Amino acid sequence: MPRLLLVHISHETNTFSRLKTDLAAFQRRMFHLGDASVIQAMRGTRTEIAGFLDAAETYGWDVRLPISAAATPNGTVTEEAWEALTRPVLDALAEPFDGILIAFHGAMVAEGADDAEGELLTRIRERIGPKVPIAITLDLHANVTETMCRHADIVIAYRTYPHIDQYERAQQAAALMKRTLDGEIRPQAVVVNRPTLLGFDGGKTTIEGVMTEALRRADAFEKEPGILVVSVHAGFTRSNIRDAGPSVAVTHDGQPERARAIADALMDYCWENRANSSTQRTTVGEAVSIARRPDASGKPLVLADYTDNPGGGGYGDATNLLRGLLAGGVRDVAVSSITDPEAVEACRKAGVGATVELAIGGKIDPEFGGPPLPVKGVVRYLGDGELTFDGPMSKGVRSNMGKVAVLQVGEMEIILASNRFQTIDRQHFLSVGIDPTKKNVLVVKSSQHFRATFAPMARRVLTVDTGALTTPELSRFDFSKLRRPIWPLDPLP
């Protein structure tokens, strides 16, 4: 019976965040150690580790699961957290394995390891040697490096954004691992990039555009003999490392020249269309004006504060949009959420039904998204923030917003949360007693993932630029480690 090591370690690191990602950040979101803990938490979910588990049962593999861990995107992972993430994996390698399946993000940066995934793969290879196959799954916003592809035999990225295919990608990786173990294929991976920090329209697959066309071309290439997987990565731009940016990785079976030619062709397409973006940048003033218009549809207007997206390392406490909506007298609004543990604690001390005067949000770095917002409101709800996602993204995954409060300020219900999180699921509202389908306006802290749940219920969706940390204005950041010259930071022919 083949023995497989199954691993899940995921973080998308915004190196420009003031907030380091410590071990507690993983423990607040997802940090399970050992077979029993991982299986109990993850089996039955629409995640990569659940996909690996189900494949192992199908193929009759004996498996070990030392760790399943993820933290909300944030600043650089601390040395202590990095050690806590990698040690269980390296310790498990004291035993022999026939193959290794790893669910990464692909854009983790740790103290002393700019290419964290590449560093861990290097250390794994040092222990297991060159013959044991390794398959990795990646977010399509991975910053894929040559080190990662040198040590991983199979590289598979998500093909949806919002990411609703993690389970399927894991199943695909496991199927290729099965063929490898059976001696049917001998996979290898190559990766190609270009001197651009942006590309593939940020990976958006909810519209017909550059990314969907790239994936169609990838599908056609995968029909060729010896081409096993063509992975298209939009990259993660808010990362001050050498290899940030879009790339294409091709996993092949004995076709290195053709694999590289395919990767080159897709990256040429990326380069030619690098300035093509479908993001509609709505100002706060425009959003308020639209929100004030009468509407009889009975459906909410969804305002995505996409430049304060915790899913890209945003602080989740930008106030500029709330300030505009309150000043504009917009009615029947629900907000998920403002990250402000101090405000939550003040609400808890006051109790449900109490009237409080607070300054909420804007406390981490007011330069990005606005200063604290003074409000007077009534505490409508207090809770522990526990919830389970309805999906389609991450269906069945348990999450924790931390201690929460709902503060009613005029006609606005504001969810105040202790933990940072991206609003991707209706349970972020339902779990605190707010029905999102009944509101006139919903404010969500997200740039794209929210669409899987909230776009179907919306009368209209607007992405609002509030000038927060996940702003597309890249000139506001110092990319001191990035390979240069690179577009759009430098003039290029």
Side-chain angles (χ1 to χ4, degrees):
M1 177 184 293
R3 299 190 74 245
L4 275 289
L5 184 69
L6 313 183
V7 176
H8 169 223
I9 297 175
S10 179
H11 191 254
E12 184 180 59
T13 306
N14 185 328
T15 60
F16 301 107
S17 172
R18 291 185 174 185
L19 304 175
K20 291 291 185 73
T21 305
D22 57 12
L23 180 56
F26 286 90
Q27 293 169 334
R28 283 193 296 268
R29 178 171 170 182
M30 183 184 295
F31 190 77
H32 307 295
L33 296 177
D35 298 355
S37 178
V38 174
I39 291 171
Q40 181 180 15
M42 305 307 293
R43 185 182 287 281
T45 62
R46 296 291 299 172
T47 62
E48 301 99 302
I49 201 72
F52 291 159
L53 275 168
D54 288 351
E57 185 173 322
T58 298
Y59 299 138
W61 294 339
D62 178 29
V63 297
R64 286 284 313 279
L65 301 97
I67 186 169
S68 176
T72 295
N74 212 346
T76 302
V77 176
T78 65
E79 184 177 357
E80 177 197 18
W82 178 234
E83 173 66 18
L85 295 170
T86 58
R87 182 50 52 193
V89 179
L90 299 176
D91 286 349
L93 294 176
E95 305 174 29
F97 291 94
D98 298 295
I100 300 175
L101 292 166
I102 307 177
F104 280 138
H105 180 284
M108 179 187 284
V109 179
E111 291 177 340
D114 281 359
D115 174 15
E117 288 90 351
E119 171 67 20
L120 179 54
L121 287 167
T122 299
R123 295 168 71 182
I124 290 171
R125 272 285 173 227
E126 290 172 351
R127 286 161 173 76
I128 66 173
K131 294 183 179 181
V132 177
I134 300 174
I136 63 174
T137 61
L138 300 172
D139 191 294
L140 63 74
H141 294 108
N143 292 323
V144 183
T145 67
E146 290 186 5
T147 300
M148 292 163 64
C149 289
R150 182 165 62 251
H151 295 305
D153 305 279
I154 299 165
V155 177
I156 299 178
Y158 308 159
R159 300 174 74 83
T160 59
Y161 181 35
H163 306 324
I164 58 174
D165 65 332
Q166 293 105 316
Y167 181 91
E168 287 77 11
R169 300 289 73 77
Q171 290 266 297
Q172 182 184 11
L176 288 174
M177 176 63 73
K178 173 68 162 57
R179 294 176 64 190
T180 305
L181 295 177
D182 288 347
E184 181 183 338
I185 56 174
R186 296 181 63 184
Q188 292 181 301
V190 299
V191 64
V192 167
N193 63 20
R194 290 289 183 271
T196 179
L197 189 56
L198 303 174
F200 294 122
D201 191 20
K204 298 182 187 67
T205 58
T206 50
I207 62 166
E208 289 295 317
V210 178
M211 186 64 176
T212 53
E213 174 59 25
L215 290 172
R216 274 193 291 270
R217 296 184 185 192
D219 287 340
F221 286 132
E222 286 183 0
K223 293 181 171 63
E224 295 185 18
I227 303 302
L228 304 175
V229 184
V230 180
S231 290
V232 181
H233 319 101
F236 183 61
T237 62
R238 295 167 189 87
S239 187
N240 185 24
I241 63 170
R242 181 188 182 280
D243 292 308
S247 64
V248 173
V250 179
T251 302
H252 64 92
D253 179 24
Q255 299 290 334
E257 293 182 2
R258 181 57 184 155
R260 189 165 294 277
I262 289 170
D264 277 328
L266 285 171
M267 281 309 302
D268 286 344
Y269 174 72
C270 174
W271 176 256
E272 293 161 2
N273 292 276
R274 62 192 182 278
N276 189 324
S277 173
S278 63
T279 300
Q280 301 287 322
R281 298 174 64 178
T282 307
T283 68
V284 171
E286 290 168 341
V288 171
S289 177
I290 293 169
R292 285 169 54 89
R293 296 173 188 170
D295 179 81
S297 69
K299 297 181 178 181
L301 169 69
V302 175
L303 303 179
D305 189 351
Y306 84 106
T307 60
D308 188 34
N309 172 25
Y315 298 127
D317 72 343
T319 56
N320 283 341
L321 181 53
L322 273 62
R323 184 176 284 103
L325 292 168
L326 288 170
V330 178
R331 64 177 184 82
D332 197 16
V333 181
V335 180
S336 176
S337 60
I338 293 292
T339 307
D340 192 334
E342 294 177 8
V344 172
E345 189 58 30
C347 290
R348 291 176 66 86
K349 288 182 178 179
V352 173
T355 298
V356 295
E357 293 188 47
L358 301 170
I360 63 172
K363 293 169 181 157
I364 298 171
D365 188 353
E367 179 184 351
F368 289 97
L373 176 63
V375 294
K376 181 178 180 179
V378 178
V379 180
R380 294 300 187 194
Y381 174 92
L382 297 169
D384 60 10
E386 297 282 348
L387 58 93
T388 300
F389 292 144
D390 290 338
M393 185 174 172
S394 299
K395 183 177 181 179
V397 172
R398 293 189 290 275
S399 186
N400 189 342
M401 298 186 289
K403 293 178 181 179
V404 295
V406 176
L407 186 64
Q408 178 92 41
V409 179
E411 288 207 40
M412 179 182 291
E413 290 181 289
I414 305 170
I415 301 173
L416 300 172
S418 300
N419 292 347
R420 295 168 54 258
F421 58 88
Q422 180 177 189
T423 305
I424 66 169
D425 197 276
R426 68 180 62 213
Q427 284 298 330
H428 284 127
F429 290 101
L430 291 173
S431 65
V432 298
I434 299 173
D435 184 346
T437 66
K438 304 298 184 185
K439 307 304 291 186
N440 176 46
V441 176
L442 295 176
V443 175
V444 295
K445 299 284 189 174
S446 177
S447 60
Q448 175 74 357
H449 285 322
F450 73 93
R451 293 180 186 273
T453 291
F454 295 102
M457 72 173 69
R459 68 177 184 263
R460 186 176 178 184
V461 171
L462 298 175
T463 50
V464 186
D465 188 343
T466 64
L469 189 65
T470 55
T471 173
E473 299 296 337
L474 300 180
S475 61
R476 298 179 69 179
F477 306 106
D478 179 19
F479 287 92
S480 59
K481 296 182 180 181
L482 188 63
R483 65 195 186 283
R484 305 294 284 263
I486 195 167
W487 187 88
L489 302 179
D490 305 306
L492 286 169

